[in-house]
Amino acid sequence: MFEFENPPAFFLLLLIPVLYILRYIKIFSRLSLPLNLSDWNGSNFKWKGNARKFLSVFGRVVCVLFYICLVFAYADPVFHLQQKVYSSKGASIVFVLDVSPSMAAKDIGSQSRLEAAKNSIVSMAEMNSGSELGLVVMAENAAVLVSPTMDRKFFLNRLKTVSVGELGDGTAIGTGLSSAIYHLEKSKSPKKSIVLITDGENNSGAVHPHTAARLAVNKDISLYILGVGTRGVVPIDYVDPKSNKIYSGYLESKFDTSSIARIASEGNGKFFEIESISALSQAISSISKSENIAQSYYIKNQDIFYYRYFLIAAVVFACIAWIVRRFLLQETL
């Protein structure tokens, strides 16, 4: 929450209009020493060009901004931040995300399969704020991008960088699952789970997905599989990250969910067939509730003060006003 610790300081801003009113009615004006020349028949002083007029007005505006920044600094702006700090462990969840080129197909609402998957992961990260999150991406191979961590900022920033085609063409489901299991088996979390999001059958990798699914059962790791995609002709559009070649056209989607449904069954897990945004939201909500753990926590209060930034701005405006009036307008201050 943002607020000012000393709000009465803003009454000082009333001095600005008061000053200009007093000067306008000639009660308060600059000290000047008139010099009268009896034989002077020339014209009165006039600004030479629009540039000097502009600089004069600009200088006054900057002076006003200088004063306003001082008032804001005196008002002591502060941002009160409340952070929930967990004192007990929550669930440990590793997402295994398919990044094969077919995930660029746009058939989940107006989004591509990968965009919808990434948005669903963000939603689940918000729902399970006390859980450790990890990320594995897979295609022809699999790679661990984020080991299970409580650092939401790091996790979400890494998730944003994920794009289709970065691990080639293919779907190494078994390798992706085994990579996730490796990083979960030593976790001390009371609940451990894998959320696999894919649109294809296993056709790559050295580990059979059924072997990985049975291993998850042995390690007491829950398995959730989201089969994302529709059947038929769907538009596809993406840029290959390795060659920078643009692929745009249509994909003949023959998405068969039976094989990945069997993987979920082999791992005593749950399978969700995702053909729409609503189905995806319902699946994520269901998984989130299943993996939610009651945790003890305390609220950590932190105050961030901003007065120094207004003081710095005031100094900058003061320097600008001095330069404009002393060197450009050649006024004596």
Side-chain angles (χ1 to χ4, degrees):
M1 180 177 65
F2 187 84
E3 66 178 5
F4 292 92
E5 294 287 306
N6 184 28
F10 287 114
F11 284 109
L12 294 173
L13 293 176
L14 296 176
L15 294 178
I16 297 175
V18 169
L19 173 62
Y20 277 89
I21 291 172
L22 292 176
R23 289 183 62 179
Y24 179 77
I25 62 178
K26 308 297 184 181
I27 293 178
F28 181 77
S29 59
R30 291 182 179 180
L31 179 64
S32 61
L33 299 173
L35 178 62
N36 297 322
L37 300 177
S38 60
D39 58 348
W40 176 257
N41 294 317
S43 59
N44 294 327
F45 171 79
K46 292 182 180 180
W47 287 110
K48 295 180 180 179
N50 294 326
R52 290 188 64 85
K53 291 181 181 179
F54 170 78
L55 288 174
S56 179
V57 174
F58 178 73
R60 294 177 184 177
V61 171
V62 171
C63 288
V64 172
L65 291 175
F66 158 74
Y67 179 73
I68 291 175
C69 286
L70 286 180
V71 172
F72 269 77
Y74 184 50
D76 198 10
V78 62
F79 183 77
H80 301 294
L81 180 65
Q82 288 189 334
Q83 184 179 4
K84 186 183 288 185
V85 180
Y86 291 94
S87 53
S88 64
K89 258 190 168 308
S92 188
I93 305 170
V94 174
F95 297 94
V96 180
L97 183 57
D98 189 349
V99 294
S100 60
S102 60
M103 287 291 285
K106 295 183 177 181
D107 57 353
I108 306 299
S110 60
Q111 305 175 52
S112 70
R113 297 170 181 176
L114 182 61
E115 288 172 345
K118 289 167 70 173
N119 289 336
S120 69
I121 293 175
V122 172
S123 297
M124 191 165 172
E126 294 173 351
M127 294 178 190
N128 297 70
S129 59
S131 301
E132 292 181 335
L133 301 181
L135 179 62
V136 175
V137 292
M138 66 168 190
E140 184 178 357
N141 299 301
V144 178
L145 297 188
V146 182
S147 298
T149 178
M150 288 290 293
D151 190 340
R152 284 292 188 276
K153 184 177 180 181
F154 175 73
F155 175 83
L156 294 176
N157 286 341
R158 197 67 184 90
L159 177 65
K160 288 179 183 178
T161 65
V162 174
S163 59
V164 296
E166 60 184 27
L167 290 178
D169 194 0
T171 309
I173 294 177
T175 306
L177 291 177
S178 59
S179 298
I181 293 169
Y182 175 79
H183 284 80
L184 281 172
E185 63 177 338
K186 295 181 180 179
S187 173
K188 296 181 180 179
S189 295
K191 276 189 177 183
K192 295 175 282 187
S193 61
I194 296 173
V195 180
L196 168 64
I197 306 177
T198 182
D199 70 345
E201 301 177 5
N202 182 79
N203 56 20
S204 185
V207 181
H208 196 281
H210 287 191
T211 302
R214 288 193 292 269
L215 182 60
V217 175
N218 294 335
K219 299 294 182 179
D220 197 24
I221 298 173
S222 301
L223 179 61
Y224 303 94
I225 299 180
L226 280 63
V228 183
T230 59
R231 301 171 185 84
V233 179
V234 295
I236 187 169
D237 187 10
Y238 76 99
V239 179
D240 187 282
K242 296 181 179 179
S243 64
N244 289 325
K245 185 177 179 180
I246 300 175
Y247 292 89
S248 182
Y250 291 89
L251 171 70
E252 181 66 37
S253 178
K254 299 177 181 179
F255 184 42
D256 183 9
T257 60
S258 59
S259 62
I260 51 179
R262 284 195 297 270
I263 298 172
S265 177
E266 193 74 31
N268 292 336
K270 293 183 179 180
F271 171 72
F272 301 88
E273 186 168 355
I274 309 299
E275 294 185 348
S276 65
I277 295 294
S278 60
L280 183 58
S281 298
Q282 291 173 6
I284 289 300
S285 179
S286 174
I287 297 172
S288 180
K289 289 179 181 178
S290 298
E291 296 305 307
N292 189 35
I293 296 176
Q295 295 175 256
S296 58
Y297 63 90
Y298 62 92
I299 301 298
K300 180 181 178 182
N301 295 312
Q302 181 182 2
D303 292 337
I304 303 175
F305 296 93
Y306 288 93
Y307 69 88
R308 59 176 63 90
Y309 299 108
F310 286 100
L311 287 177
I312 293 172
V315 171
V316 171
F317 285 131
C319 292
I320 293 174
W322 184 75
I323 292 172
V324 170
R325 300 184 64 179
R326 181 68 181 88
F327 292 99
L328 299 181
L329 296 176
Q330 297 181 346
E331 296 179 355
T332 55
L333 303 177

